[in-house]
Amino acid sequence: MKKEVKDILSKYLEQNKMRKTVERFAVLDAAYSFDTCFTMEELKTLLEYRSFPISRATLYNSLKLFKRLKLIICHKLQQGTKYEAALSINSNCHQICTLCGKVSKIDSKEISSIVWNTRLKRFHMDSFSLYVYGMCSNCVAKQTRKRNRNNKRRVQTN
Amino acid sequence: MKKEVKDILSKYLEQNKMRKTVERFAVLDAAYSFDTCFTMEELKTLLEYRSFPISRATLYNSLKLFKRLKLIICHKLQQGTKYEAALSINSNCHQICTLCGKVSKIDSKEISSIVWNTRLKRFHMDSFSLYVYGMCSNCVAKQTRKRNRNNKRRVQTN
DNA sequence: GTCAGTGCAAACTTTTTGCAACTAC
DNA sequence: GTAGTTGCAAAAAGTTTGCACTGAC
């Protein structure tokens, strides 16, 4: 895990007179070990695998804290809640496959700049999330193969 | 409710040999009576108020159907799931107050056009949702008043 | 008359809460 | 030592499911 991330948590805990517990740092480290989105269950499993069994309550508490510190972001998707390590990001764009649920980042400075420069009515923006829905190329290919098989079968039975 | 909306449901049910039940149309009508986002509970309450008590299972079933038909959209927010009547929209932008949870639409052709024209890697887009987080002007004002009060008190006690 | 759709209750999943025990300070 | 945290279990909230009954066709 990046030292930077640990330091942010450490500093925040000091400044707010909160305790530097082993659990908080273990959860943060685990969260930053995934190179993509993870679920609460996956996080719990990883920690158990690392011989650090932890209660759900503590996981939820820690993640709530990390969210506030912008050390992670939380996606409430149709297929359930996913978390993602993301240092101090206040704008994020993701593409989500509606078939397999895969989530990947989109990098676009144009989108960011347009959104930040949008004039909002009676509102003060401090972050945004963009979710693009559709199908990943894997699922498109899978669907095409399936369609081809069905067409063949139809031809054969005719 | 717009005749158009009813017709879309009606046609879909016919084409898919599904039944035109009183419940489905009552739920659709209720969903389109809100002029803003609504929760499942609010929808149930409205229907009860209209002397049309309905079970949660049927509500979930109906809303799932309407989602598929793009007659409503579903927002999974931190403060819970909210639904919204929205006819055949496949791109939507909303601003969400992180204090009071108020959701309002953002109308921006620039954002839409930029997102639709973004080249995505290994992905075929068919819709998107943009969520802008921050504070609505009501909550900004409330916070300012609170801060002023606290400052006054601090001055008096000094 | 038939079977898709509904109501109800139970099950299940996800998240929160209350409280005793623990431990970082 | 003590108050902030944790673990556990129970509760709450949100959603899905199984099954008997109903009503749209």
Side-chain angles (χ1 to χ4, degrees):
Chain A
M1 181 178 51
K2 290 172 189 165
K3 189 176 172 300
E4 198 185 350
V5 175
K6 222 171 181 167
D7 286 349
I8 292 174
L9 176 58
S10 205
K11 197 170 287 179
Y12 182 87
L13 294 176
E14 278 170 28
Q15 288 177 345
N16 291 272
K17 292 183 184 164
M18 292 166 76
R19 292 201 179 148
K20 294 184 188 177
T21 61
V22 194
E23 285 83 359
R24 283 175 173 160
F25 287 93
V27 175
L28 186 62
D29 192 77
Y32 269 78
S33 312
F34 292 92
D35 54 358
T36 173
C37 291
F38 57 89
T39 62
M40 188 57 92
E41 261 346 89
E42 286 165 350
L43 186 59
K44 193 169 189 314
T45 304
L46 175 61
L47 281 158
E48 269 155 18
Y49 178 76
R50 290 184 175 180
S51 312
F52 201 98
I54 194 162
S55 74
R56 262 164 245 285
T58 303
L59 278 177
Y60 278 108
N61 282 338
S62 304
L63 290 183
K64 196 183 281 178
L65 171 63
F66 302 161
K67 259 191 262 178
R68 210 164 50 230
L69 294 185
K70 296 199 175 188
L71 294 176
I72 60 163
I73 51 182
C74 164
H75 308 289
K76 298 235 170 185
L77 308 176
Q78 299 304 321
Q79 47 268 76
T81 307
K82 291 190 176 182
Y83 298 88
E84 187 180 1
L87 183 49
S88 301
I89 285 179
N90 52 8
S91 73
N92 65 81
C93 308
H94 289 81
Q95 56 193 29
I96 299 164
C97 178
T98 45
L99 236 72
C100 70
K102 191 185 170 191
V103 181
S104 353
K105 278 195 188 112
I106 300 171
D107 246 331
S108 165
K109 282 174 188 161
E110 292 83 32
I111 295 177
S112 260
S113 108
I114 282 278
V115 176
W116 281 108
N117 288 316
T118 300
R119 288 192 165 221
L120 298 174
K121 284 176 197 154
R122 304 174 53 73
F123 199 81
H124 180 261
M125 179 186 340
D126 66 39
S127 66
F128 77 83
S129 294
L130 174 73
Y131 295 108
V132 171
Y133 300 100
M135 266 165 78
C136 70
S137 51
N138 275 345
C139 285
V140 171
K142 221 175 266 178
Q143 212 178 47
T144 309
R145 278 200 299 277
K146 197 174 167 185
R147 201 172 291 145
N148 286 346
R149 266 203 307 281
N150 287 346
N151 285 346
K152 257 189 200 158
R153 194 175 306 154
R154 208 167 297 139
V155 170
Q156 290 175 337
T157 52
N158 275 358
Chain B
M1 182 179 49
K2 289 172 189 166
K3 191 178 171 298
E4 199 184 349
V5 176
K6 223 170 181 167
D7 287 349
I8 291 174
L9 175 58
S10 206
K11 198 170 287 178
Y12 182 86
L13 295 176
E14 277 169 30
Q15 288 176 346
N16 291 271
K17 292 184 182 166
M18 291 166 75
R19 294 202 176 146
K20 292 184 188 177
T21 62
V22 195
E23 284 84 358
R24 284 174 172 162
F25 287 94
V27 174
L28 186 62
D29 192 77
Y32 270 78
S33 312
F34 292 91
D35 55 359
T36 173
C37 290
F38 56 89
T39 62
M40 189 58 93
E41 263 345 91
E42 286 165 351
L43 185 59
K44 193 170 188 315
T45 306
L46 175 61
L47 280 158
E48 268 155 18
Y49 179 76
R50 289 183 176 182
S51 312
F52 200 97
I54 194 162
S55 74
R56 262 165 245 285
T58 304
L59 278 177
Y60 279 107
N61 283 338
S62 304
L63 290 183
K64 195 183 281 178
L65 172 64
F66 302 162
K67 260 191 259 179
R68 211 164 49 231
L69 295 185
K70 297 201 173 185
L71 294 175
I72 60 163
I73 51 183
C74 165
H75 307 290
K76 298 235 170 184
L77 309 176
Q78 299 304 323
Q79 47 269 78
T81 307
K82 290 190 177 182
Y83 299 87
E84 186 181 2
L87 183 49
S88 301
I89 287 180
N90 52 7
S91 74
N92 65 82
C93 308
H94 289 83
Q95 57 193 29
I96 299 163
C97 178
T98 45
L99 235 73
C100 70
K102 191 185 170 190
V103 180
S104 354
K105 279 197 188 110
I106 300 171
D107 247 331
S108 166
K109 282 173 188 161
E110 291 85 32
I111 294 177
S112 261
S113 107
I114 284 279
V115 176
W116 282 108
N117 289 316
T118 301
R119 286 188 169 228
L120 298 175
K121 284 176 197 155
R122 303 175 53 73
F123 200 81
H124 180 262
M125 178 185 340
D126 66 39
S127 67
F128 78 82
S129 294
L130 172 73
Y131 295 109
V132 172
Y133 300 100
M135 264 166 79
C136 70
S137 50
N138 275 345
C139 285
V140 172
K142 221 175 266 176
Q143 210 178 49
T144 309
R145 278 199 300 276
K146 197 173 167 186
R147 200 172 291 146
N148 287 344
R149 266 203 307 281
N150 286 345
N151 285 346
K152 255 189 200 159
R153 193 173 308 151
R154 205 165 300 137
V155 171
Q156 289 175 339
T157 51
N158 278 356

